[in-house]
Amino acid sequence: MESGVQSNAAAAATAPEFPPKKLVRQLDFTANFGTPPAAAAQSQAHATAAMQSQLATASRTSISMPLKIESPRSRSRPVYDVKDGTPKKQKQCNCKHSRCLKLYCECFASGVHCDGCNCVNCCNNVENEAVRQEAVGLTLERNPNAFRPKIGNSPHSIRDIREDSAEFALVGKHNKGCHCKKSNCLKKYCECFQANILCSENCKCIDCKNFDGSEERRALFHGDHPNNLSYMQQAANAALNGAIGSSGYVSSPSLKKKLKGLPFGTSAKDQAIHRVAQLNQANPLKTSGTAPPGNPVARAVNSAPSGSSKLVYRPLLADIVQPEDVKELCKLLVVVSAEAAKPFSDRKIHEEKHKEKVDQTESFHALSNQDGDHNKKALPDDRSSGTTADKMSTEEFMSDSTDMQKGSRPMSPGTLALMCDEQDTMLMTSQNTGAPPRFLYDQSVTEVYAEQERCVLTEFRDCLQKLITRAKVKEEKYASMAMKSEASSSQQGPVINGNATVPMSSPAELSRSSNTFPISFHNFLPPKLGRSTTENGNIDSKTENLDL
DNA sequence: GAGTTTGAAACT
DNA sequence: CAGTTTCAAACTC
């Protein structure tokens, strides 16, 4: 089909590849990417605005939308490393004829530039940004929803799934629906299957087997499929890529709790949980793929993780870092930043007493001196060059860490709100005391910035290192427990009793086991934050308002 | 790795 | 809107 790829590519680079006849506005690949700068800029602005608008719209939806726009195709490829599940480099396309400017291209469809791809004549890069933006505009013109997620929420929920159905589909529905004819919607050709969702009324597929209760689908997800592992990975990717949202699976605390609190109740929810537990029969980490022997309770306890792990992949840090932890971290960094600037503040206060009068006298003297040469040297030269300027600006301007607000560096609204009071104060002080103009202090401001940045980054690095350490510990524990689990199950099967440790081979379940890993981000935040939030009422009250 | 199959996207 | 073609990924061998 793709005969003469290279010749095609070569021709594409030198000669028109597409017929000039265009009933519908099309991308012009022929005119040396010839979009007039102005038109290109306009197109770019339009396209960018359109995409941003879509992103903004998407962010308002209940769908957990990834930062990058994704198409089902891009979702299909493992963005996460198969071995360890860690984020992996963006998928690389192999486009040959689309120049990566059509939705055929995963990168383009994902709204990202090609980077390290194997594509030919790629225009989906910075060098061809104008063309790219035009293509985006055209694509949006053709289909305003082109870059929007194709999987939306559906009325389906975990409660709707019947207890007797063995498979477990993610919550969601393909907005447009698939049109499969030969794949039975059980292969990755099918967008619904790719996204690990059931086909819906939106689909126009033929001979669909991707529905709740489908034997074929059940077989596929029950471990007796040769490609079960890949399907597992696919499901994990689907869960991870944000198309569905994190709440689609059993990750809620209540569910976790109930899952552990066997035997199950009789409510619909409990039944659903029970059903989820039954999914263990396709334990991805056990090649046998058979349900572990033992009583139902034991099987459910042991199997729940396996079953859910097949469909839910949760990063190692999933339960370590919570939203409030991020907030805490930000508070910490604000405190660290303030502390970093404090020496400058202290020094200023100390030295200001001794030098303020002298400086002002000198300045006044220079200003009052009507001699041109003196005037030039006395103020601008002294203060705008070298160490003198640094010294003075440091002394007179950096009386408070909040002065960094006066620099050109952009700050978050939260931080601005935090420091607005101080800014007003400083401004008034500066005006009242006849302090020199701001530009005279830029250098020292930068100096403080540098110190603050250093401290903040150091602190942040430390936190990240601790986070990594935690994850490693967790990972090692998973590994050892998985080995134990596998060893015991291969010999005599898991024996669960009240006191025995439940072998958990699933990272998903392990991460849910708060008893085993009572990890909280708070645990490794430095004590500084504790002080700042408990002893320093001012900082605490202000940082609480940080818009995180 | 090459060839085939598949279904979405693009086009008529 | 329906039919056809193009395209790149998924799949098979």
Side-chain angles (χ1 to χ4, degrees):
Chain A
M1 190 170 69
E2 300 294 348
S3 60
V5 163
Q6 288 183 340
S7 60
N8 245 348
T14 56
E17 187 182 3
F18 295 84
K21 181 185 175 185
K22 294 164 187 171
L23 297 178
V24 178
R25 195 163 82 93
Q26 295 176 7
L27 250 192
D28 186 4
F29 289 164
T30 67
N32 200 16
F33 310 148
T35 307
Q42 193 175 9
S43 170
Q44 179 167 343
H46 168 261
T48 304
M51 289 187 76
Q52 286 174 343
S53 169
Q54 287 201 356
L55 279 171
T57 304
S59 68
R60 286 192 296 269
T61 68
S62 59
I63 303 170
S64 176
M65 175 113 177
L67 283 179
K68 74 172 190 176
I69 316 163
E70 289 199 338
S71 74
R73 282 192 182 246
S74 66
R75 291 186 195 106
S76 69
R77 283 296 191 92
V79 182
Y80 293 79
D81 192 279
V82 174
K83 289 179 182 176
D84 55 17
T86 55
K88 192 175 149 182
K89 195 174 188 299
Q90 175 203 329
K91 199 261 166 205
Q92 297 170 337
C93 71
N94 303 291
C95 305
K96 295 182 181 69
H97 304 298
S98 67
R99 298 203 173 192
C100 302
L101 291 180
K102 298 201 172 181
L103 292 173
Y104 297 128
C105 175
E106 290 189 26
C107 304
F108 181 78
S110 303
V112 299
H113 289 111
C114 287
D115 181 19
C117 300
N118 306 312
C119 39
V120 177
N121 286 322
C122 179
C123 290
N124 184 28
N125 48 39
V126 180
E127 290 75 24
N128 298 285
E129 186 61 28
V131 184
R132 179 179 179 274
Q133 292 298 338
E134 188 177 6
V136 170
L138 287 171
T139 304
L140 289 172
E141 195 175 273
R142 195 179 295 122
N143 175 16
N145 299 320
F147 296 102
R148 285 193 179 146
K150 293 188 175 181
I151 312 300
N153 280 346
S154 84
H156 285 296
S157 75
I158 194 170
R159 284 165 298 190
D160 298 325
I161 301 170
R162 298 199 317 269
E163 186 181 5
D164 58 349
S165 59
E167 73 279 15
F168 186 78
L170 286 172
V171 179
K173 185 165 68 174
H174 197 293
N175 291 328
K176 197 177 165 186
C178 69
H179 302 82
C180 304
K181 294 170 186 168
K182 300 179 180 178
S183 66
N184 301 133
C185 301
L186 290 180
K187 294 191 176 182
K188 293 178 82 176
Y189 297 124
C190 174
E191 292 197 346
C192 299
F193 184 84
Q194 264 186 27
N196 194 38
I197 58 174
L198 298 173
C199 287
S200 66
E201 66 272 12
N202 295 341
C203 298
K204 292 166 183 162
C205 40
I206 298 171
D207 201 14
C208 179
K209 302 282 173 42
N210 184 28
F211 58 90
D212 188 21
S214 162
E215 288 297 326
E216 289 83 352
R217 188 175 193 279
R218 184 181 310 181
L220 210 54
F221 281 94
H222 259 237
D224 49 358
H225 191 282
N227 294 329
N228 192 46
L229 201 63
S230 66
Y231 287 110
M232 209 179 72
Q233 182 66 37
Q234 169 245 327
N237 287 334
L240 277 167
N241 67 22
I244 311 301
S246 57
S247 61
Y249 276 152
V250 264
S251 57
S252 72
S254 60
L255 285 180
K256 295 177 213 165
K257 209 171 182 179
K258 294 195 177 191
L259 210 56
K260 295 182 76 175
L262 293 169
F264 295 107
T266 53
S267 67
K269 213 170 204 172
D270 289 340
Q271 289 177 355
I273 296 163
H274 188 184
R275 209 191 62 72
V276 169
Q278 289 179 325
L279 288 171
N280 88 97
Q281 292 169 28
N283 187 342
L285 299 180
K286 294 174 185 172
T287 52
S288 67
T290 56
N295 63 63
V297 171
R299 186 171 67 241
V301 168
N302 190 44
S303 63
S306 308
S308 57
S309 76
K310 185 181 74 169
L311 297 168
V312 182
Y313 173 80
R314 305 189 76 221
L316 284 170
L317 301 176
D319 283 345
I320 295 180
V321 182
Q322 303 294 334
E324 57 266 27
D325 296 325
V326 179
K327 201 170 180 177
E328 290 294 309
L329 176 61
C330 290
K331 286 180 183 177
L332 167 67
L333 295 180
V334 168
V335 172
V336 168
S337 174
E339 288 183 357
K342 206 173 180 182
F344 293 88
S345 173
D346 292 344
R347 191 174 71 187
K348 182 262 172 187
I349 293 171
H350 178 71
E351 295 180 358
E352 197 175 49
K353 294 177 182 177
H354 300 283
K355 304 195 73 177
E356 189 176 19
K357 284 188 176 179
V358 177
D359 290 338
Q360 287 188 348
T361 302
E362 286 177 353
S363 299
F364 191 79
H365 175 72
L367 284 169
S368 59
N369 189 340
Q370 296 302 312
D371 183 284
D373 290 338
H374 280 102
N375 202 3
K376 283 176 186 173
K377 289 179 182 176
L379 257 178
D381 287 359
D382 285 354
R383 298 192 175 201
S384 63
S385 64
T387 56
T388 308
D390 288 350
K391 188 179 174 184
M392 290 188 66
S393 54
T394 300
E395 291 166 352
E396 296 186 13
F397 200 63
M398 297 309 299
S399 61
D400 194 293
S401 64
T402 59
D403 274 334
M404 65 183 176
Q405 180 185 356
K406 296 177 179 177
S408 59
R409 188 168 298 190
M411 302 177 75
S412 71
T415 310
L416 286 172
L418 172 67
M419 298 175 167
C420 61
D421 294 339
E422 285 80 355
Q423 179 194 28
D424 293 340
T425 303
M426 277 306 302
L427 195 61
M428 290 175 64
T429 305
S430 176
Q431 290 169 342
N432 292 340
T433 59
R438 181 181 304 175
F439 70 88
L440 296 176
Y441 306 108
D442 281 354
Q443 198 159 348
S444 62
V445 169
T446 304
E447 191 181 328
V448 181
Y449 283 171
E451 177 61 16
Q452 287 181 310
E453 189 168 327
R454 191 189 64 78
C455 292
V456 167
L457 290 177
T458 301
E459 200 65 53
F460 189 46
R461 181 201 59 193
D462 292 343
C463 287
L464 289 178
Q465 284 177 341
K466 289 169 185 171
L467 200 59
I468 291 168
T469 304
R470 289 280 180 167
K472 283 181 178 175
V473 170
K474 213 172 170 184
E475 185 182 28
E476 287 169 4
K477 211 147 190 175
Y478 291 165
S480 64
M481 294 179 82
M483 288 178 65
K484 286 179 186 175
S485 172
E486 186 144 354
S488 64
S489 64
S490 64
Q491 291 174 3
Q492 58 182 10
V495 177
I496 311 295
N497 58 45
N499 297 322
T501 301
V502 176
M504 294 181 290
S505 57
S506 153
E509 177 60 22
L510 285 169
S511 69
R512 288 195 289 267
S513 175
S514 57
N515 289 334
T516 310
F517 302 101
I519 298 171
S520 167
F521 198 73
H522 296 82
N523 294 346
F524 50 82
L525 281 178
K528 291 176 189 174
L529 185 57
R531 287 199 306 271
S532 72
T533 53
T534 56
E535 297 172 10
N536 191 337
N538 290 334
I539 292 177
D540 188 30
S541 63
K542 285 173 180 173
T543 50
E544 275 181 358
N545 294 326
L546 286 177
D547 185 19
L548 302 174

